[in-house]
Amino acid sequence: MATVGVLCGRVRVEEKLIAAALTEVGVSPRPVTPAGLPLPPTPMPTPIPPAPAAAGGLAGGLLLDRGQDRAVATALLAAARVCGAIVLDAGIAASGDRLAVASTLATAGVPRPTTHLACTEEAALIALADVGYPATLLPLPFGSAAVALLDADTAEAVVEHRSVLGTGRAALALVQAGIWPTSARVRLVVVDGEAVATLPGAEARPAALHIAESTARALGAAMLGVDIVYTAGGPVVWDVAPVPEFRHATPLGGKTVAEAIAELIQRRLPSPELVPAPPATVEFTHPGTFTIRLGEETRHGVVLSA
Amino acid sequence: MDVGCPECGAEFELSGVEQGEIVTCPECGVELEVLSVDPISLGLAPEEG
Ligand SMILES: [Zn+2]
């Protein structure tokens, strides 16, 4: 039975649903938990033995990103790729931040609210004056809570507070036009280019499905949560979620999110002949002779020197 | 009484807790805050920092 690593700090309801769907199609899921032991940054053997559970997901197999801690996940996914693993993640949303996503979507022509990057308190206030009120301040890391700014007084207090507390990357934020509480957004879950589910109660119009699918395509995301809002100018992408929750999601078609992920994994599983061969070992048996072992094959040789 | 973890869905036995207490889910290890005691309801504990 093929095995797939599922990167997750904790096995939540979503990961249990994915595990059940994978088992149903004959694939064995293995939780890959960032452990206390160091991970190999390269495929070469390292003097420190890697964490067994994590190494299992990195060794030339397939790794599904469900990492809740995005800083840890970003580092681990990069290591997994270097080690030859096929990684299924949210593409630029998995490795980047809200700025990277906003820039990529703008370049791809996917509709978004008017947005500015603010690097300083002054820049934030100028940006807010441009987009008008109400507006939203979005910190760059995914998962960081957005701040609704109803008027200039609130905005000044919030921006000043941030600039006092935050330094470096923590002080950066996107300023987006409008405020959209979660209840006013449509969350769509896209798997392998197709919007497969929406959160209950959310109306998913065809234009929203199209934009969500375009978003996943632009970001190179195997799976992604896309928050759409219906503005006066039409639907736009408000935010994305690299590792969306979907326990309460309603399927748009005949399959659940977990089933769609299991199908995707089935399609992407490396065929046995493509799995990288185990590294060769060289052993010097006697002075001047050596043995190379590559898988089941063994070759003997003699050292020639000038 | 049996309670459900809002993170992983696991059911486990919990008693003698007070409102505001932080408990750990025995299955997924997430920290949970006791939101109410009669009946017991749990929510994700606020993250530190
Ligand atoms: Zn739990």
Side-chain angles (χ1 to χ4, degrees):
Chain A
M1 185 187 262
T3 303
V4 163
V6 180
L7 173 63
C8 55
R10 290 188 299 276
V11 178
R12 302 171 301 172
V13 172
E14 282 76 12
E15 287 72 55
K16 287 181 178 177
L17 291 170
I18 292 171
L22 282 170
T23 307
E24 194 69 26
V25 297
V27 176
S28 171
R30 184 204 318 230
V32 175
T33 307
L37 286 171
L39 292 161
T42 74
M44 300 300 288
T46 54
I48 308 167
L58 298 181
L62 194 147
L63 186 64
L64 174 71
D65 175 22
R66 291 289 309 168
Q68 294 101 35
D69 184 326
R70 294 315 304 162
V72 171
T74 302
L76 216 142
L77 295 173
R81 282 197 170 89
V82 171
C83 290
I86 296 171
V87 173
L88 295 182
D89 63 11
I92 289 169
S95 57
D97 54 18
R98 284 181 168 130
L99 172 62
V101 167
S103 305
T104 305
L105 295 185
T107 306
V110 176
R112 294 238 324 124
T114 305
T115 303
H116 296 291
L117 168 67
C119 302
T120 61
E121 183 182 341
E122 294 74 25
L125 293 175
I126 294 169
L128 285 161
D130 177 61
V131 300
Y133 294 94
T136 303
L137 202 68
L138 288 145
L140 298 194
F142 288 109
S144 301
V147 185
L149 304 171
L150 297 176
D151 52 52
D153 288 344
T154 320
E156 257 180 64
V158 168
V159 168
E160 189 183 347
H161 182 70
R162 276 182 60 83
S163 67
V164 168
L165 292 181
T167 53
R169 193 163 176 262
L172 305 178
L174 295 184
V175 172
Q176 284 188 182
I179 53 170
W180 295 88
T182 311
S183 57
R185 303 178 210 158
V186 180
R187 162 63 64 84
L188 290 161
V189 182
V190 182
V191 179
D192 202 17
E194 186 189 350
V196 293
T198 180
L199 287 193
E203 185 200 357
R205 302 175 197 166
L209 301 186
H210 174 72
I211 288 175
E213 290 169 357
S214 302
T215 298
R217 198 162 43 246
L219 298 176
M223 74 208 75
L224 182 73
V226 184
D227 288 350
I228 307 277
V229 296
Y230 295 115
T231 67
V236 300
V237 175
W238 180 256
D239 200 6
V240 303
V243 180
E245 290 187 5
F246 55 80
R247 66 188 70 175
H248 302 302
T250 305
L252 291 165
K255 58 192 166 193
T256 65
V257 173
E259 287 165 352
I261 291 173
E263 284 181 14
L264 166 64
I265 286 172
Q266 265 192 314
R267 287 194 290 275
R268 298 282 182 89
L269 269 176
S271 51
E273 63 268 25
L274 293 178
V275 173
T281 60
V282 182
E283 192 183 326
F284 289 90
T285 40
H286 298 288
T289 65
F290 61 90
T291 304
I292 296 179
R293 292 195 177 84
L294 180 59
E296 309 220 322
E297 214 173 307
T298 304
R299 296 279 167 87
H300 302 283
V302 179
V303 178
L304 299 174
S305 60
Chain B
M1 64 175 286
D2 276 352
V3 293
C5 170
E7 182 82 329
C8 73
E11 300 242 318
F12 59 95
E13 174 81 25
L14 194 64
S15 59
V17 288
E18 292 175 12
Q19 188 174 332
E21 197 174 328
I22 303 294
V23 297
T24 303
C25 169
E27 184 157 327
C28 72
V30 73
E31 291 199 329
L32 301 166
E33 182 179 351
V34 178
L35 300 176
S36 65
V37 289
D38 193 19
I40 296 177
S41 69
L42 300 171
L44 291 181
E47 289 187 16
E48 289 175 23

